[in-house]
């Protein structure tokens, strides 16, 4: 109950600046430093077509909470949710990191459910509500990147 109360308190706090409070991210694709991976002795290709959708809510100027679903690099769908800590978006470019939970990776060679994904978001010139997001995972044996289109409301 304390966790729910804390989350409601965070959600009730105002955001700052002129940037949108709600963002809808459309997952697009990913790329990997290696084309293949080994799963139980079988060589397989990474899935680089990663459709999906996330909704993010700006709790504070530098903190979002979000949830969504996407098809991950091993070819299965997974829900995901987490927090994003980032620089201010009202300047057109922000950088940050997502700390999240994606249970669909548990039964994959990645064998994890937690992740940290460094991200950058750039708004289109003259439009604070449309942008591109890119993430890059520098940790682990295989490095990968992601690309999303994002819309603010």
């Amino acid at each position: 109950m304390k966790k729910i109360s804390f989350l409601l308190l965070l959600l009730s706090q105002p955001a700052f600046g002129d940037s949108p409070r709600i963002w809808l991210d459309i997952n697009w694709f990913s790329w990997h430093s290696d084309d293949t991976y080994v799963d139980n002795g079988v060589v397989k290709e990474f899935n680089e077509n990663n459709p999906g959708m996330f909704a993010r809510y700006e709790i504070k100027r530098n903190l979002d909470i979000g949830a969504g679903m996407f098809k991950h690099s091993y070819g299965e769908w997974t829900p995901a949710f987490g927090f994003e800590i980032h620089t201010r978006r009202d300047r057109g470019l922000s950088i940050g990191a997502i700390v999240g939970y994606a249970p669909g990776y548990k039964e994959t060679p990645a064998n994890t459910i937690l992740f940290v994904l460094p991200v950058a978001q750039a708004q289109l010139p003259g439009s604070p509500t449309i942008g591109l997001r890119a993430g890059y995972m520098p940790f682990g044996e295989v490095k990968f990147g992601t690309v999303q289109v994002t819309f603010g409301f």
Side-chain angles (χ1 to χ4, degrees), residues 106-122:
K106 179 65 177 154
E107 301 301 323
T108 70
N111 192 30
T112 187
I113 57 174
L114 301 174
F115 62 92
V116 176
L117 181 67
V119 293
Q121 178 171 320

Side-chain angles (χ1 to χ4, degrees), residues 37-103:
Y37 65 96
V38 178
D39 185 11
N40 293 321
V42 178
V43 176
K44 297 181 179 181
E45 286 189 22
F46 280 109
N47 170 45
E48 294 188 337
N49 179 14
N50 308 105
M53 189 176 300
F54 289 89
R56 292 181 289 126
Y57 177 76
E58 184 179 49
I59 298 171
K60 291 284 193 183
R61 181 184 305 180
N62 302 94
L63 180 64
D64 296 354
I65 186 171
M69 185 166 228
F70 65 100
K71 191 171 187 178
H72 62 52
S73 299
Y74 299 100
E76 300 295 327
W77 286 89
T78 184
F81 65 90
F83 292 91
E84 180 181 340
I85 300 167
H86 54 80
T87 59
R88 291 176 54 176
R89 289 198 183 98
D90 58 355
R91 297 185 177 127
L93 176 67
S94 67
I95 57 172
I98 299 170
V99 177
Y101 171 77

